[in-house]
């Protein structure tokens, strides 16, 4: 596994210099150019003014363009040039067209130049950014050689083991086999005295809690019928439970005061020890000490917060225990913080009091801020609250004696949402190199960044994810790795394996994979997966995904399968997709019936295509004009015999033919039969010469 991670961290080597040959072909409605690059190549297609630029990294030694114009003309692709100094292929258009690119397999790029304007959300219409080399500051630490990390086994039964150890020690002391040490040398920790004032508020049925009412302002009607029970702020001042002294000495001192005379438990010493362990983030140890408490003893007034401390001991160990702090997210105190920590599924409660949470988090001891900060920052980042996420991360970073892997991972996630991806990638790779405990989460985040580039994932990435998934079969980090692995397999051609390894359906990963397949999956992957899926699977997906898959199946010619996917949808949503299915069956009349009354541009395109199938060229020309497709309208007008309407869209040789075939506008005077025949012979000779020149031009083009 370490070898795979090391290979992933290595920078991509420079490919051997080689020549790439470009091939082309003409199809109805588009011209295709194909480039077969090395599998590890990266690419970016974008606008260069009125033209397009295809950047290839690493750039090949040369691009052979001699085969481009053997089978196509220059009506769509007016010119194509390789700019070696920029590593960029310049594509010049000769019509009102747009370009889009797909990668059929690693390195096989297919550039389609299609008629008409580009879709509004096309990513290929963005300007191609200049290449700026990444220059890291001198103070940024460079990667060091990999070092062997000693194996440290981690038990999953810390709580049971600690409890068993304390019970054995208690039995040994009671039997006289062991003698407790009265005092361990070292500085005494500062322990705040317990308050003698009762914590019970007036008119409260629960002495350990106070009631917080959400009252409406005056004039806004009756107050709501619900109320939140909030723990008082003085009972959650965890920052005062540890004075910042040496942690090891303070822990030893607190454990020496667990018993009083005659080996009986000392409630005050036990309460102080529990609070100290909680302040240092030692939840399992705090629970073991609480197990020694005799809660039925009337002299244990110091342990009235037993249930509160028990809940906190689970939360500081990242073990959500939502019972005690339920419905306290709106409280104006530390209870809001612990209500969020105990909230399941890593989300935020809708009624969260964010200022109270930030204030309470900044007052926590350093160990707790360092332990809870990364998860809290991720929750706020997922919810779109970047300011609060940065505030929590910075507070945790100030408390840390050194930047741990969890904090570096948190910094990478924050940079991923607000900075160039290179910075986040650097941080994730640094976590994978230095912290084995956070390496799985860092690899999953790095994989998500690679998948967002909308390119096929590299084989090394898939292999590293597979190795990491075998080592992390459970837990939150393991699920993140499995999600990234499923997406990488789907986009790399292993779509059947990606779906086969999923947990059973209501898992949300099913929906995520189908959405990714509908948006970015190859035609082959989408077709095979959609044809294999049963109706129960398709019915569980959101309507938007079903519509995309059905539409793509109809465009690919699978009319029957498209209808099966579109059947559960509302009639208004599936009209256009079903019309596409009718066109795939070459049933133009059925398509016209489905879109009757629709006046959108997409409906106009479908109507024009259906009219062309029915050989109604004049009506098709009108429909293409309404759809904003002047090239297609000119073509239909030419087929309808309207040479005047189509002349300005024709190439120069065909325009001469159209001018020659057009009747004279207004003869000045009638001529005799011989003059008329002579004129017709001259026009026929001119037409033949223009057609011969057009054919010669087509055959002599490179």
């Amino acid at each position: 596994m370490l070898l795979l991670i090391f290979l992933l961290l290595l920078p991509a080597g420079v490919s051997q210099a080689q020549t790439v040959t470009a091939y082309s072909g003409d199809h109805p409605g588009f011209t295709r150019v194909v480039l077969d690059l090395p599998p590890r190549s990266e690419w970016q297609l974008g606008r260069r003014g009125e033209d397009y630029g295809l950047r290839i990294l690493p750039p090949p030694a040369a691009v052979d363009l001699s085969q481009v114009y053997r089978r196509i003309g220059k009506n769509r692709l007016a010119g194509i040039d390789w700019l070696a100094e920029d590593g960029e292929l310049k594509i010049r258009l000769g019509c009102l067209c747009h370009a889009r690119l797909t990668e059929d397999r690693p390195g096989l790029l297919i550039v389609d130049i299609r008629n008409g304007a580009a879709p509004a959300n096309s990513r290929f219409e963005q300007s191609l950014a200049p290449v700026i080399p990444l220059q890291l500051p001198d103070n940024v630490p460079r990667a060091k050689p990999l070092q062997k990390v000693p194996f440290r086994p981690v038990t999953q039964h810390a709580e049971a083991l600690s409890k068993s150890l304390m019970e054995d020690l208690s039995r040994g002391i009671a039997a006289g086999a062991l003698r407790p040490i009265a005092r361990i040398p070292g500085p005494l920790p500062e322990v705040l005295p317990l308050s003698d004032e009762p914590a019970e508020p007036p008119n409260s049925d629960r002495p350990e809690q106070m009631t917080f009412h959400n009252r409406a302002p005056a004039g806004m009607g009756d107050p709501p019928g619900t109320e939140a029970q909030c723990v008082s702020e003085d009972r959650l001042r965890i920052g005062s439970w540890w004075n910042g002294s040496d942690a090891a000495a303070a822990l030893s001192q607190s454990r020496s005061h667990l018993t009083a005379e005659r080996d009986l438990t000392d409630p005050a010493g036990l309460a102080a020890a529990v609070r100290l362990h909680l302040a240092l983030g030692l939840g399992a140890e705090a629970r073991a000490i609480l197990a020694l408490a005799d809660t039925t003893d009337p002299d244990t007034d110091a342990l009235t917060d037993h249930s509160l401390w028990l809940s906190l001991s689970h939360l500081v160990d990242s073990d959500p225990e939502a019972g005690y702090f339920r419905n306290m997210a709106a409280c104006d105190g530390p209870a809001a913080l612990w209500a969020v920590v105990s909230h399941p599924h890593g989300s935020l409660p809708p009624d969260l009091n964010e200022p109270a949470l930030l204030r309470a988090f900044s007052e926590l001891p350093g160990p707790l801020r360092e332990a809870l900060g990364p998860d809290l920052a991720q929750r706020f980042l997922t919810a779109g609250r970047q300011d609060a996420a940065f505030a929590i991360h910075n507070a945790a970073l100030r408390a840390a004696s050194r930047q741990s892997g969890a904090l570096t991972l948190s910094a990478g996630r924050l940079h991923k949402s607000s900075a160039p991806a290179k910075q986040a990638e650097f941080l994730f790779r640094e976590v994978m190199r230095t912290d084995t405990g956070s390496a799985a989460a860092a690899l999953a985040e790095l994989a998500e960044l690679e998948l967002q580039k909308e390119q096929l994932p590299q084989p090394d990435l898939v292999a590293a994810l597979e190795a990491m998934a075998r080592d992390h079969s459970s837990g939150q980090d393991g699920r993140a790795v499995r999600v990234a692995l499923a997406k990488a397999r789907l986009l790399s051609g292993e779509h059947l394996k990606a779906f086969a390894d999923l947990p059973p359906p209501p898992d949300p990963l099913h929906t995520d994979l189908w959405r990714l397949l509908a948006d970015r999956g190859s035609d082959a992957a989408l077709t095979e997966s959609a044809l294999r899926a049963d109706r129960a699977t398709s019915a569980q997906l959101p309507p938007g995904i079903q519509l995309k898959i059905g539409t793509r199946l109809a465009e690919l010619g699978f009319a029957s399968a498209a209808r099966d996917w579109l059947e559960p949808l509302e009639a208004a949503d599936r009209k256009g997709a079903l019309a596409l299915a009718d066109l795939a069956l070459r049933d133009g009349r059925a398509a016209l019936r489905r879109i009757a009354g629709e006046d959108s541009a997409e409906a106009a395109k479908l109507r024009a295509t259906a009219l062309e199938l029915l050989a109604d060229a004049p009506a098709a020309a009108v429909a293409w004009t309404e759809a904003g497709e002047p090239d297609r309208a000119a073509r239909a007008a030419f087929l309808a015999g309207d040479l005047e309407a189509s002349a300005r869209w024709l190439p120069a040789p065909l325009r001469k033919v159209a001018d020659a075939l057009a009747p004279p506008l207004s003869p000045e005077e009638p001529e005799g039969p011989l003059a008329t025949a002579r004129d017709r012979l001259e026009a026929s000779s001119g037409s033949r010469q223009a057609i011969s020149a057009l054919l010669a031009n087509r055959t002599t083009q490179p």
Side-chain angles (χ1 to χ4, degrees):
M1 180 193 71
L2 291 177
L3 179 59
L4 292 175
I5 296 176
F6 175 72
L7 292 175
L8 182 63
L9 293 177
L10 287 177
V14 179
S15 303
Q16 295 181 353
Q18 60 179 339
T19 300
V20 175
T21 303
Y23 300 93
S24 63
D26 254 335
H27 302 273
F30 67 94
T31 296
R32 174 164 291 179
V33 179
V34 179
L35 298 166
D36 195 358
L37 305 177
R40 299 180 65 87
S41 300
E42 297 184 3
W43 54 265
Q44 185 179 6
L45 178 66
R47 279 284 187 179
R48 283 294 195 190
E50 297 296 329
D51 305 323
Y52 285 89
L54 174 59
R55 181 177 299 153
I56 302 173
L57 293 175
V63 177
D64 183 6
L65 303 175
S66 61
Q67 305 293 323
V68 172
Y69 288 106
R70 293 180 63 90
R71 295 182 177 85
I72 66 172
K74 293 190 175 182
N75 56 333
R76 295 193 187 95
L77 182 60
I80 182 169
D81 301 293
W82 170 246
L83 306 179
E85 62 277 6
D86 298 331
E88 192 173 302
L89 194 66
K90 184 177 180 181
I91 300 173
R92 290 183 286 111
L93 305 182
C95 62
L96 181 59
C97 308
H98 68 279
R100 70 181 188 182
L101 189 150
T102 55
E103 190 173 11
D104 189 67
R105 59 174 172 77
L108 185 61
L109 304 187
I110 301 175
V111 181
D112 289 340
I113 301 175
R114 296 184 172 270
N115 295 332
N121 57 349
S122 175
R123 65 180 184 277
F124 304 122
E125 296 305 306
Q126 299 180 2
S127 298
L128 201 60
V131 178
I132 301 176
L134 178 63
Q135 297 181 352
L136 295 176
D138 296 335
N139 58 353
V140 175
R142 274 16 182 208
K144 299 179 181 179
L146 291 177
Q147 300 178 355
K148 292 184 178 180
V149 179
F151 174 73
R152 294 178 296 176
V154 180
T155 177
Q156 298 181 356
H157 307 285
E159 179 181 354
L161 182 62
S162 178
K163 183 178 180 180
S164 175
L165 179 60
M166 296 299 296
E167 290 177 352
D168 292 342
L169 290 175
S170 300
R171 284 194 293 268
I173 293 173
L178 299 175
R179 184 173 61 184
I181 298 176
R183 184 179 301 275
I184 297 178
L188 288 175
E190 180 182 355
V191 181
L192 296 180
L194 297 176
S195 175
D196 296 333
E197 297 180 2
E200 178 181 358
N203 301 327
S204 175
D205 297 334
R206 300 177 62 181
E208 71 276 13
Q209 294 186 347
M210 62 179 293
T211 303
F212 174 79
H213 295 276
N214 294 318
R215 299 191 181 277
M220 296 297 292
D222 297 332
T226 60
E227 59 184 22
Q229 301 291 332
C230 293
V231 179
S232 59
E233 188 170 351
D234 58 334
R235 296 170 57 215
L236 286 174
R237 295 187 183 277
I238 303 179
S240 63
W241 294 354
W242 176 48
N243 61 359
S245 61
D246 182 70
L251 289 172
S252 299
Q253 185 65 35
S254 67
R255 292 172 183 174
S256 67
H257 294 287
L258 297 181
T259 57
E261 64 275 2
R262 292 182 296 178
D263 295 335
L264 297 177
T265 57
D266 182 8
L270 192 146
V274 170
R275 290 195 296 266
L276 178 62
H277 282 73
L278 291 177
L280 294 175
L282 304 176
E285 291 79 358
R287 288 194 297 275
I289 297 175
L290 282 173
L292 300 176
D294 184 9
T295 56
T296 61
D297 193 333
D299 295 332
T300 57
D301 294 338
L303 301 177
T304 54
D305 283 337
H306 180 281
S307 57
L308 171 66
W309 295 338
L310 185 61
S311 179
L312 288 175
S313 70
H314 287 281
L315 296 180
V316 298
D317 282 345
S318 300
D319 181 16
E321 196 277 321
Y324 198 91
F325 293 96
R326 182 177 301 170
N327 300 328
M328 296 189 189
C331 296
D332 189 17
L337 167 65
W338 297 106
V340 172
V341 175
S342 64
H343 198 67
H345 310 304
S347 57
L348 295 177
D351 56 344
L352 172 62
N353 188 338
E354 184 176 309
L357 181 144
L358 296 177
R359 185 172 63 251
F361 183 80
S362 64
E363 295 173 355
L364 289 178
L368 277 185
R369 275 188 280 167
E370 185 177 357
L372 301 178
D375 178 69
L376 276 176
Q378 176 63 17
R379 293 191 187 212
F380 278 91
L381 190 62
T382 304
R385 303 184 184 183
Q386 294 189 0
D387 293 341
F390 272 99
I392 292 173
H393 172 75
N394 292 335
L397 194 60
R398 291 193 302 269
S401 57
R402 61 178 181 86
Q403 186 158 345
S404 62
L407 288 176
T408 306
L409 179 64
S410 177
R413 288 167 173 167
L414 293 172
H415 281 85
K416 184 177 68 172
S417 63
S418 61
K422 290 293 183 182
Q423 295 183 358
E425 289 181 10
F426 173 80
L427 293 173
F428 292 145
R429 293 182 188 276
E430 184 70 12
V431 173
M432 294 172 61
R433 187 184 66 84
T434 59
D435 190 344
T436 56
S438 303
L443 179 60
E445 295 287 352
L446 184 63
E448 289 291 342
L449 279 180
E450 292 293 331
L451 295 176
Q452 288 174 6
K453 294 180 180 179
E454 300 192 359
Q455 299 180 11
L456 295 181
Q458 299 295 336
D460 291 347
L461 176 63
V462 179
L465 287 170
E466 289 176 346
M468 192 68 76
R470 286 192 294 269
D471 293 341
H472 295 76
S473 58
S474 60
Q476 184 176 359
D477 292 345
R479 175 172 176 80
V481 172
R482 291 194 302 274
V483 170
L485 176 59
K487 293 180 178 179
R489 282 174 172 171
L490 179 69
L491 296 179
S492 61
E494 300 181 7
H495 46 279
L496 297 182
K497 192 172 184 180
F499 282 105
D501 294 343
L502 290 181
D507 194 285
L509 184 54
H510 279 270
T511 302
D512 295 340
L513 279 190
W514 279 108
R515 180 180 291 108
L516 183 64
L517 180 65
D519 292 338
R520 295 177 51 194
S522 64
D523 293 343
L526 181 133
T527 302
E528 187 173 9
S529 302
L531 293 180
R532 285 173 174 264
D534 53 17
R535 295 204 173 187
T537 300
S538 61
Q540 294 177 355
L541 298 176
I545 298 178
Q546 297 183 50
L547 180 60
K548 285 184 179 180
I549 295 176
T551 302
R552 288 191 61 180
L553 287 174
E555 291 175 345
L556 294 171
F558 295 92
S560 178
R563 288 174 175 173
D564 292 339
W565 276 84
L566 297 170
E567 183 179 352
L569 303 180
E570 297 292 337
D573 297 334
R574 61 182 183 178
K575 280 185 178 181
L578 288 175
L580 273 176
D582 294 332
L583 293 177
L585 296 174
R586 305 192 66 80
D587 190 351
R589 298 186 185 279
L592 289 175
R593 287 195 298 268
R594 289 191 189 278
I595 58 176
E598 300 290 331
D599 56 356
S600 63
E602 291 299 324
K605 292 179 182 179
L606 295 174
R607 187 177 297 108
T609 306
L611 291 171
E612 286 183 344
L613 284 177
L614 298 175
D616 191 351
V622 175
W624 282 122
T625 302
E626 295 175 352
E629 297 280 355
D631 284 353
R632 302 294 297 270
R635 177 180 177 274
F638 183 80
L639 295 177
D642 189 355
L643 301 180
E644 182 180 358
S646 60
R648 65 191 185 95
W649 300 101
L650 297 176
L654 282 180
R655 198 178 302 126
K656 293 180 180 179
V657 175
D659 293 341
L661 295 177
L665 296 176
S666 57
E668 296 180 357
E669 58 182 15
E671 298 180 348
L674 291 178
T676 302
R678 184 179 64 250
D679 293 340
R680 290 180 178 177
L681 286 174
E682 291 176 355
S684 176
S685 176
S687 299
R688 286 196 299 272
Q689 292 176 2
I691 293 174
S692 298
L694 174 64
L695 295 176
N697 184 34
R698 296 280 289 186
T699 56
T700 58
Q701 285 180 348

